[in-house]
Amino acid sequence: MSNWLQIVVAAPAHSSIAGPLTYQSELPLPVGSLVRVPLGKREVLGVVWEVLPDSGALLEMQTRHVAGALQGLPPLSATWRKLVQFTASYYQRSLGEVALAALPPQLRDLSNVQLARRLKRPMADTRGEQPGGRSLVLSAQQAAVLAEFDADTRPALLFGATGSGKTEVYLRAAARVLELDPAAQVLVMVPEINLTPQLQSRFEERFAHLGKERVVALHSGLTPAQRLKSWLAAHAGHARLVLGTRMAVFASMPNLRLIVVDEEHDPSYKQQEGARYSARDLAVYRAKIETEDATHAHGPCRVLLGSATPSLESWQATLAGRYQRLIMDERIGTVPSTGEEAAPYSAGPQPEPYSPPKAREPGDAGSLPTVRRVDMNHQPKHCIIAPPLLEAIAQRVARGEQSLIFLNRRGYAPVLACHDCGWKSECPHCSAFRVFHKIDRTLRCHHCGFTERVPRACPSCGNIDIAPVGRGTERLEEHLAELLAGVKRPDGEPVRIARIDADTTRLKGALESQLASVHAGEVDVLVGTQMIAKGHDFRHITLVAAINPDGALFSSDFRAPERLFSLLMQAGGRAGRDARHSGASEMWVQTFHPEHPLFAALKQHDYAGFAAQQLAEREAAGMSPFGFSALVRAEARTQEVAQGFLNAAAAQADALQLTGNGQVTAYPAVPMTIQRVADIERAQMLVESPSRAALQRFLANWQPVLFETRQQAEFKSLIRWAIDVDPIAI
């Protein structure tokens, strides 16, 4: 007897396959089973989504047979399928695209024999579990927030200052869940791969008593075999703790009881290609549907979001009472900072000599770094490092302490230019400049990857005196080496400067090696981009300096101030993390706008004040979290086709009255900020609504219109289009 099954397979959002396909199977297969099915001339992996009633001989003649099931694997749970269904619907993608992208790629290629071999490999010993691992003594605030967390069931936002011990709270919350339920699983998410190893080592140390392979990682940096091994352990319930990046939100975990989202504000949680989902938002939704699953006997599945600078969406959710707010404003070993600081540096023609601050006793004036603003309007012309800051760095080196110099621009210089004819190192394939990398004498486009050797002379006029304009981390590293050439360490050795950015960490293991050098005290001055400005627990850094943060102050993107404030707060949080040095720790900001409200809030470590000002502006403008938006992007060989497609589709939506009596506004299409990448022209259209439900209805109804518009003759050359719901950059 044949069994009729609805099966989802991988299909892009704009293909003709919109949903599940119907197949027949000689054997009954439960919903959630992984199967292989024929699709065209290929055999592909699929997920059984629904079992259909017998539809008769006609349907039997029109359908194809399931090639086989992946044997030995439990079906994917109902909550996992619900999560995938919601993601596809909310973010306007196909069901199969989301479902199959959430599974390890190697599952598509393994035979049943190969899969059985992997499933038979010995897993962790589950006998005789005893509490273990070294636990720290909790601070009063840590103990208080854990008690508050246990007493509530809402999503929780842990608003904790940098260095306040949020990781220990995560560890204790996870330990409590695992102790209460011997089958329970915990998911811990971090925004970037480079933060996974240090967190994984702490969890493995704390939960070593659970047995081998009970703590696993899931992120894109793993090999296909490693990712499959971790996924199988989580799917079978053997792995008790899963640590990963945004992709881990889709991990199949049948006994999930707690989700932790560390640095929940970080933009890296938003996927920027394919299904553009927010892993943070999906974590909150997943906890909700896991709680609704009646199979759990030990209470709800909780979600704990943590950050020193929460996203304004999460902060507003606490103000509205939807989220529980947990506060830890004290660094470990100290009490809250008063936020006092010396007046901004505005030294004029004769800058006053630097004098280090008097060390503050724990319990006296707090331990968050003192913020010093350097008014670059009054520093020497063309000065890169202000004299007071340079003196402060030299003092740190002489005392055997470390400094972190932060510049969010890699490379030697952003542009190579000829001052005779005006030539600049533009990328021939993008509307952007190629960056000069001195170490290998190349001009490299950071958008399309196009790379050439630096020309010996200006390609336009032949002038041999072409020069770099501006500075990146590579040039800053070189400049600091020149400025600190005469500075000696306490042992009489010369200063040691290192740089960590995407260019120095390309090789496997390079980042871990360089971070180990910093932790070991082998580096005196660390130069880097945002990849070192957040999440790392540097114990000997007592000074952090931001060199050129002004660019985001006047950006057209309404989220730019939030991102800048968060980045500076996070960067400053690398200073003084060891209580022995915290009293003298400093955050320096070089700026031409020292009185800007953002820097005024930064000097007071006043996230709440900054958030209140930003939320008031956004509410007045109807922007997130008080309004809802989507970006529709189109790519073509010409701007005319890209913009024309979007405008034509919007006009058709108006003609069909899809906007719901003005509830939804679609603005005219415009070129993207970088409008050409790899010879592809890019345009975007902003769609806004004060109602999330109205926006979702419009986008769902608009999808067929976009498909139809794409088929029109004048838009045949359109390459692709995509919808980005809740975009993080406009």
Side-chain angles (χ1 to χ4, degrees), residues 30-334:
V31 173
S33 298
L34 289 166
V35 295
R36 289 194 175 85
V37 295
L39 183 67
K41 296 182 179 179
R42 300 177 297 140
E43 190 173 282
V44 299
L45 186 67
V47 181
V48 177
W49 215 253
E50 186 180 355
V51 177
L52 298 175
D54 193 335
S55 297
L58 181 62
L59 185 58
E60 184 173 356
M61 293 171 57
Q62 295 174 339
T63 56
R64 304 177 73 177
H65 287 262
V66 171
L70 272 64
Q71 297 173 3
L73 281 181
L76 294 160
S77 69
T79 51
W80 186 91
R81 300 194 306 274
K82 190 172 183 179
L83 174 69
V84 168
Q85 185 93 44
F86 172 82
T87 304
S89 173
Y90 185 81
Y91 293 102
Q92 305 294 317
R93 307 299 293 190
S94 75
L95 184 59
E97 177 189 18
V98 177
L100 275 297
L103 300 175
Q106 207 172 41
L107 272 181
R108 307 170 191 177
D109 306 319
L110 293 179
S111 68
N112 275 330
V113 173
Q114 293 170 318
L115 180 59
R117 190 178 303 130
R118 283 162 173 77
L119 291 172
K120 286 180 181 178
R121 288 176 181 170
M123 299 301 297
D125 186 357
T126 60
R127 300 170 293 168
E129 292 183 2
Q130 297 293 329
R134 184 175 59 89
S135 295
L136 304 176
V137 176
L138 291 177
S139 70
Q141 286 198 335
Q142 287 174 322
V145 300
L146 282 165
E148 292 176 44
F149 180 67
D150 286 342
D152 208 318
T153 59
R154 291 172 295 169
L157 174 64
L158 176 56
F159 175 41
T162 53
S164 62
K166 293 188 291 294
T167 302
E168 184 63 25
V169 171
Y170 304 154
L171 287 162
R172 294 296 183 101
R176 178 167 172 78
V177 166
L178 298 180
E179 289 167 10
L180 286 175
D181 183 351
Q185 294 175 294
V186 174
L187 171 63
V188 180
M189 296 169 59
V190 293
E192 296 181 7
I193 293 174
N194 65 60
L195 297 177
T196 307
Q198 69 177 40
L199 194 64
Q200 184 174 358
S201 64
R202 288 195 64 178
F203 272 84
E204 285 177 338
E205 178 187 2
R206 182 66 58 87
F207 296 103
H209 62 284
L210 295 180
K212 190 179 179 182
E213 297 179 350
R214 287 294 197 162
V215 180
V216 302
L218 267 178
H219 55 75
S220 59
L222 300 175
T223 65
Q226 289 171 330
R227 183 175 167 187
L228 176 64
K229 182 179 180 181
S230 294
W231 186 89
L232 289 173
H235 179 61
H238 292 299
R240 304 290 304 279
L241 286 132
V242 175
L243 291 88
T245 51
R246 61 177 176 260
M247 67 184 300
V249 75
F250 293 109
S252 175
M253 302 175 69
N255 302 302
L256 183 60
R257 308 303 309 124
L258 173 67
I259 305 176
V260 173
V261 185
D262 191 25
E263 309 292 358
E264 66 88 29
H265 66 277
D266 199 289
S268 298
Y269 282 121
K270 186 72 156 69
Q271 175 78 357
Q272 292 302 306
E273 57 186 24
R276 291 167 169 80
Y277 61 86
S278 165
R280 178 200 65 211
D281 295 347
L282 289 182
V284 175
Y285 177 78
R286 183 168 188 179
K288 175 178 178 291
I289 60 175
E290 293 282 355
T291 298
E292 294 168 350
D293 182 356
T295 62
H296 292 307
H298 294 277
C301 177
R302 298 296 306 281
V303 60
L304 177 59
L305 315 177
S307 178
T309 54
S311 65
L312 291 179
E313 286 78 10
S314 296
W315 187 255
Q316 176 60 26
T318 67
L319 295 175
R322 297 193 306 274
Y323 290 5
Q324 176 190 19
R325 186 193 300 176
L326 308 171
I327 298 176
M328 293 197 311
D329 55 5
E330 302 173 7
R331 276 190 160 182
I332 294 297
T334 55

Side-chain angles (χ1 to χ4, degrees), residues 640-679:
E640 291 75 16
V641 170
Q643 292 187 43
F645 165 74
L646 294 174
N647 288 328
Q652 185 64 14
D654 280 339
L656 295 173
Q657 299 182 334
L658 299 182
T659 56
N661 296 322
Q663 281 189 300
V664 177
T665 302
Y667 295 93
V670 295
M672 293 182 65
T673 304
I674 300 177
Q675 70 178 53
R676 181 166 52 94
V677 172
D679 294 319

Side-chain angles (χ1 to χ4, degrees), residues 437-452:
H437 291 259
K438 186 177 181 180
I439 192 168
D440 57 2
R441 303 290 299 175
T442 60
L443 292 174
R444 192 180 308 155
C445 178
H446 289 177
H447 299 282
C448 72
F450 179 68
T451 303
E452 282 186 328

